[in-house]
Amino acid sequence: MLAFPDPVPTTASSLLANTEVVVAAAATLDEGLDCHDAFPTKAFEHFRERGLLTAPLPVELGGSDLCEASETAALRDVLYLVGRSSLVLGRLYEGHVNALALALRYGNAETRRQVSADAKAGHLFGVWNTEPATGGLSMTRHGGVLELADSKCFASGAGHVTRPLVTARIEDGRRLMLIVPLEPGVRAETKSWRAQGMRATATGTVDFSGLQLDVGAVVGEPDDYLRQPFFSCGAWRFLAVQCGGIAAVFEALRTHLVNTGRGGDPHQRARLGEAATRVETARLFVARAAETAAVAEADPEAAIAYVNLARGAVERCGLDVIELAQRSVGLSGFLETHPLEQRIRDLATYLRQPAPDHALASAAGYVLDAPRAFHALWQKL
Ligand SMILES: Cc1cc2nc3c(=O)[nH]c(=O)nc-3n(C[C@H](O)[C@H](O)[C@H](O)COP(=O)(O)OP(=O)(O)OC[C@H]3O[C@@H](n4cnc5c(N)ncnc54)[C@H](O)[C@@H]3O)c2cc1C
C-alpha cells in the first residue's frame, strides 16, 4: 500500500471535481467487474491518489472535513456521483466514510491519529455490523488483550477492507466498536456471495475467532454505535448512493428511448415522465434528509423520523424506476449487453437495507403522536 504516491491534497470544493475524474476513470480501470469474486482494486487506488480516501478526515489531520456537518452538501454530492457511476463503488466508499465518521466521532485522540495515518497509507475502511442469525462476533478482555470469537456476515470488501470497524458483543450484552487491522485476503469467505447484483463488492463472512488485539483497538464506549440520532440519521448516506443508482437507471432508459426513436410514443412519454418524477422525488428527499441529519441534535426524534420516511420514499422511487424502465425498454433491457441490465440488478440488490418495515412504522408512530400538526413537524430543522 505504501507504494502509491501521496494523495493529492483536496479541499471540499475541489473534491467534487476529483470525484468526477475518479468515477470517469473507474469505468475503465476495473474492466469485467460485474462478476463473482471480483473487486474494484484499481479504482480504489485511484480514489486514494485523488484524496477521496482521506477526504472524510478533518483538515488538520490531512483531510477535507467531509464528515463535518458544514460539508454535508459536499458529501451528499460525492456519494451521489460515485453511486451514479457504480453502486459497487458507492457502497464500498460509503462504508469507508461511515467507518471514519464513527472513529472520528467516538474515538480518542490516538484513534483519530491512527485512522488518519491508515487512510493516508491507502487502507480501505468499512463498517461490519451485520451478523448471522446465530453466533455473531463477541469479545472478551484478558488484562490489556482483547480476544475475538465468531464472525460477521454481509461484510462488504471482505478480504480487501484492511481496516474494518466492527461491532462486538461484550459480556454484559452490549456492543463495542473495534478497528481490526487485517491483512488482505485473510479470514474472509466470499464464495457464498452469489448475489443477483453488487457482485464485485466481495460481501462475505469474516471469521475473527482467536484474533487478539490491543485495547487500543476499541473505539468509544459500549453501544456508542447505536447512539441516536446519529445511528438512524446516518442512513441518509446510503440513500445518497442509492439516489445515484436510480439516476443511472433513468439515464439508461432515457438514452434507450432517444436511440430507438421511441420517445415520441405517448405511453413511453408518460412512463418517462413518471420515472423523471421519481428520480427528482428521491433527490429532493435525500437532500432534505441530509440537511435534517446535519442538525439532528436540535430535535433528534423529528430528524430520525424524517430520515426514516426518506428511506421508504427512496426505496419506492427506486422500485418504481426499475419497473418503468423494464416496461419501457422491454426484453432487450434484460440482455447482458444492455446498460440497463447490470444497473437494475445492482440497484435492486442495494435497495435491500436493514429493517425497512421498522423504519416506516417508527416514522409513522412519530407522526401519529407528534405534538404538532404534520405540516409543522420539520419546519425548524
Ligand atoms: C450490497 C450490500 C452490501 C452490504 N454490506 C454490508 C456491510 O459492509 N456491513 C454490514 O454490516 N452490512 C452490510 N450489508 C447488510 C445490510 O446492512 C443489511 O443488513 C441487509 O441489507 C439487510 O437486508 P435484508 O433485506 O435481509 O433485511 P432485513 O432487515 O432482514 O429485512 C427483510 C424483511 O424482513 C423484515 N424484518 C426485519 N426484521 C424483522 C423481524 N424481526 N421480524 C419480522 N420481519 C422483519 C424487514 O422489514 C424486511 O421486510 C450489505 C447489504 C448489501 C445489499
Side-chain angles (χ1 to χ4, degrees):
M1 289 197 183
L2 294 168
F4 304 128
D6 275 346
V8 176
T10 49
T11 60
S13 56
S14 66
L15 206 59
L16 273 185
N18 278 342
T19 308
E20 298 264 19
V21 173
V22 168
V23 297
T28 55
L29 277 172
D30 287 280
E31 279 179 20
L33 258 186
D34 180 34
C35 56
H36 303 303
D37 301 319
F39 192 79
T41 306
K42 289 184 191 156
F44 277 106
E45 286 169 16
H46 214 50
F47 270 59
R48 177 180 186 267
E49 286 163 18
R50 287 278 166 177
L52 281 162
L53 293 191
T54 48
L57 302 172
V59 168
E60 67 270 18
L61 291 174
S64 307
D65 271 345
L66 206 54
C67 290
E68 292 298 315
S70 59
E71 302 303 332
T72 297
L75 177 57
R76 179 200 66 206
D77 292 349
V78 168
L79 292 173
Y80 170 83
L81 270 178
V82 179
R84 201 178 63 190
S85 103
S86 157
L87 283 176
V88 166
L89 292 179
R91 158 79 283 267
L92 291 162
Y93 186 59
E94 193 275 330
H96 178 84
V97 172
N98 190 16
L100 288 177
L102 287 163
L104 294 170
R105 178 179 292 280
Y106 297 116
N108 57 25
E110 175 51 23
T111 300
R112 292 161 65 88
R113 191 203 60 74
Q114 186 62 52
V115 298
S116 304
D118 288 346
K120 279 181 206 154
H123 287 283
L124 189 59
F125 286 71
V127 176
W128 295 346
N129 177 54
T130 310
E131 296 189 329
T134 53
L137 184 63
S138 64
M139 188 206 92
T140 45
R141 186 169 175 163
H142 310 280
V145 177
L146 312 175
E147 184 160 331
L148 303 185
D150 227 309
S151 57
K152 288 290 182 187
C153 66
F154 290 144
S156 292
H160 302 271
V161 163
T162 45
R163 291 294 181 273
L165 182 149
V166 301
T167 50
R169 206 173 54 254
I170 54 176
E171 276 125 17
D172 64 7
R174 292 182 296 168
R175 280 163 206 277
L176 257 183
M177 290 184 280
L178 306 166
I179 293 178
V180 186
L182 288 176
E183 291 299 318
V186 302
R187 295 177 177 271
E189 187 282 308
T190 52
K191 292 284 173 224
S192 51
W193 184 242
R194 293 293 177 264
Q196 181 189 31
M198 304 295 278
R199 290 176 177 166
T201 53
T203 300
T205 299
V206 180
D207 189 346
F208 295 91
S209 296
L211 195 70
Q212 295 194 330
L213 297 170
D214 183 84
V215 283
V218 171
V219 178
E221 301 296 320
D223 281 351
D224 269 354
Y225 178 75
L226 298 171
R227 207 194 290 180
Q228 298 287 21
F230 312 107
F231 175 66
S232 294
C233 286
W236 81 263
R237 286 188 304 267
F238 72 67
L239 296 181
V241 178
Q242 289 175 340
C243 205
I246 295 170
V249 169
F250 177 81
E251 207 49 42
L253 161 63
R254 195 181 71 88
T255 305
H256 177 91
L257 290 180
V258 170
N259 290 347
T260 55
R262 290 184 160 191
D265 176 77
H267 301 285
Q268 295 286 17
R269 282 205 173 203
R271 274 194 295 268
L272 189 77
E274 282 182 33
T277 309
R278 303 299 188 279
V279 176
E280 184 60 3
T281 302
R283 195 187 68 79
L284 291 170
F285 249 114
V286 171
R288 185 82 171 101
E291 285 168 10
T292 304
V295 294
E297 282 165 290
D299 190 344
E301 287 188 7
I304 291 169
Y306 192 88
V307 175
N308 278 335
L309 282 186
R311 282 187 57 178
V314 171
E315 183 196 13
R316 187 66 263 160
C317 290
L319 292 171
D320 286 349
V321 170
I322 287 173
E323 185 192 337
L324 290 160
Q326 287 181 330
R327 293 180 72 204
S328 289
V329 174
L331 189 55
S332 42
F334 289 74
L335 301 181
E336 286 177 0
T337 47
H338 198 286
L340 260 186
E341 195 269 343
Q342 184 198 341
R343 288 177 188 181
I344 284 183
R345 275 190 291 106
D346 284 350
L347 179 58
T349 307
Y350 190 46
L351 284 177
R352 293 305 108 224
Q353 292 295 329
D357 301 332
H358 173 76
L360 185 63
S362 104
Y366 173 79
V367 171
L368 200 64
D369 299 335
R372 299 184 287 280
F374 185 71
H375 70 263
L377 285 187
W378 293 287
Q379 271 175 353
K380 292 196 176 138
L381 283 176

